[in-house]
Amino acid sequence: MSKALYAFNLDGSFVQQIGVTGNGPGEYVIPFEYSVNERDKTLSVIDIEQRKMIVYSLVDFRFLSERRIPFYSDDMEQLPDGEYVWYNKVSSETSDSYAFTTDENLKIKKSFLPIDFESGYSLGTNRKLYKQGNEVSLYTPFSPVLYRIQGDSIYPAYQFKFGEKTLPSLDFLKENSANNKNYIPALLESPYVAFYDVYGSEQLLCVPYYADKIMYFGFYDKKNNIPYNFSQNKIQSELQVGAFSSPIGVSRNGSFISLLRPGLLLQLRDQGKEIDNRLVQLLDNSTEEDNPILLFFQ
């Protein structure tokens, strides 16, 4: 986990560090999540260590303001009107729903989707909210529905299918997590989809999911209503990228972005793994300790 926030140009060149580490105004300890507001040209950052949200200028990255977060959440997105949507992992006095909205002063306004399963254990990413343009989307761990949030309303936008596989039932989850038991080993051995994540661009949805001890990547072409489904091994082989992983984000032109680890790729190359020539050129100038290589794909 990085302990600082950095800005880069699209060509990968470094711009500057945003903010500094510390306990003072505008300073953070663990900057865990952030959201960009194009309208106000601001960047809101969650520091989960100090439980505060810091706002910086998108123009010159100077510190603008900060507020203490009066509830626990490590995942948020800012709506076009300046208000926020927060993802909630567990029921509390604050909210017993998976998501809630707040105003700019972090006062809770409305809750959505009552929590139907709670556990101290989880799989997949912590990120259950994402923003594409002005649209904020939300999904929950064990329901195959992608929701859109607009102001004080929420509606289902897409429903997922995983071939012949299904997500676990609530009865299965509750039975295997009784008395605070770790349900994950039973889930990984079951025929169910153990976890899934969602990444969206204007034209595509990318849904990485894990079932039968295999990682799959589902893609949905929104414009042409066409689904695609590939195993991780299939993508690694076809693209010749050595070790393909889930996206970490989406670029402005709609490309998904994944990380390739130079250390692992150098080992795979030495083992005779077939790797794309463009990637080989980067590896020739890399060491095992280098920063990740960014893979943009559509």
Side-chain angles (χ1 to χ4, degrees):
M1 180 185 298
S2 175
K3 292 189 176 181
L5 191 64
Y6 303 98
F8 294 83
N9 285 316
L10 291 177
D11 63 3
S13 58
F14 176 69
V15 177
Q16 71 173 73
Q17 178 174 325
I18 303 172
V20 295
T21 302
N23 303 105
E27 298 176 344
Y28 46 68
V29 178
I30 302 179
F32 192 79
E33 187 60 86
Y34 68 87
S35 181
V36 170
N37 187 313
E38 294 283 359
R39 184 198 68 173
D40 297 337
K41 303 299 180 186
T42 57
L43 175 71
S44 298
V45 180
I46 295 177
D47 178 1
I48 59 173
E49 178 68 23
Q50 301 184 85
R51 286 188 61 176
K52 67 180 182 179
M53 186 171 68
I54 311 170
V55 182
Y56 300 98
S57 166
L58 263 186
V59 178
D60 54 14
F61 303 119
R62 61 189 168 86
F63 166 60
L64 297 177
S65 65
E66 69 176 34
R67 299 177 184 86
R68 183 184 177 278
I69 301 175
F71 42 77
Y72 179 77
S73 175
D74 57 15
D75 190 10
M76 64 85 185
E77 283 289 359
Q78 193 168 20
L79 294 165
D81 61 5
E83 297 188 341
Y84 293 91
V85 181
W86 302 79
Y87 182 74
N88 187 31
K89 295 178 180 178
V90 295
S91 296
S92 65
E93 294 181 1
T94 302
S95 177
D96 60 357
S97 298
Y98 277 114
F100 55 89
T101 57
T102 68
D103 60 20
E104 296 182 58
N105 295 316
L106 308 188
K107 181 179 179 180
I108 294 179
K109 296 186 65 179
K110 191 168 184 178
S111 297
F112 306 102
L113 305 177
I115 293 175
D116 50 11
F117 173 70
E118 296 182 58
S119 173
Y121 304 93
S122 64
L123 285 170
T125 67
N126 289 320
R127 169 195 159 282
K128 295 293 187 290
L129 288 164
Y130 73 85
K131 182 160 62 175
Q132 175 64 32
N134 287 325
E135 291 182 335
V136 176
S137 301
L138 161 73
Y139 59 99
T140 59
F142 300 109
S143 174
V145 179
L146 182 68
Y147 296 92
R148 290 275 164 71
I149 298 176
Q150 291 183 339
D152 289 334
S153 64
I154 186 171
Y155 65 92
Y158 294 96
Q159 182 165 346
F160 304 115
K161 294 183 178 179
F162 306 94
E164 297 179 353
K165 302 299 179 183
T166 61
L167 290 162
S169 66
L170 283 178
D171 288 341
F172 174 90
L173 293 170
K174 291 178 179 179
E175 177 182 349
N176 286 279
S177 62
N179 300 317
N180 201 31
K181 179 183 176 183
N182 183 359
Y183 69 93
I184 291 176
L187 180 56
L188 293 176
E189 293 295 329
S190 76
Y192 297 116
V193 173
F195 66 87
Y196 77 102
D197 297 310
V198 184
Y199 301 84
S201 68
E202 186 174 344
Q203 183 171 340
L204 288 171
L205 289 175
C206 174
V207 183
Y209 65 96
Y210 185 89
D212 285 336
K213 301 180 181 179
I214 297 174
M215 195 73 198
Y216 294 94
F217 292 84
F219 294 91
Y220 178 66
D221 184 333
K222 300 177 186 177
K223 182 178 179 181
N224 298 304
N225 297 321
I226 301 175
Y228 302 89
N229 199 55
F230 308 100
S231 70
Q232 184 178 36
N233 286 338
K234 174 74 170 176
I235 293 181
Q236 290 173 172
S237 175
E238 292 287 335
L239 297 185
Q240 297 180 6
V241 293
F244 185 78
S245 62
S246 296
I248 59 167
V250 184
S251 71
R252 285 195 172 189
N253 72 349
S255 295
F256 296 103
I257 308 170
S258 288
L259 297 180
L260 302 176
R261 306 288 180 182
L264 175 58
L265 294 183
L266 287 168
Q267 293 177 26
L268 293 173
R269 186 183 65 173
D270 292 342
Q271 295 169 10
K273 194 82 170 181
E274 191 171 5
I275 296 178
D276 184 276
N277 287 334
R278 292 165 294 180
L279 190 51
V280 169
Q281 292 176 18
L282 293 176
L283 291 175
D284 285 340
N285 297 303
S286 300
T287 68
E288 292 190 358
E289 291 76 28
D290 275 346
N291 287 329
I293 296 169
L294 299 182
L295 170 67
F296 293 74
F297 65 95
Q298 292 182 323

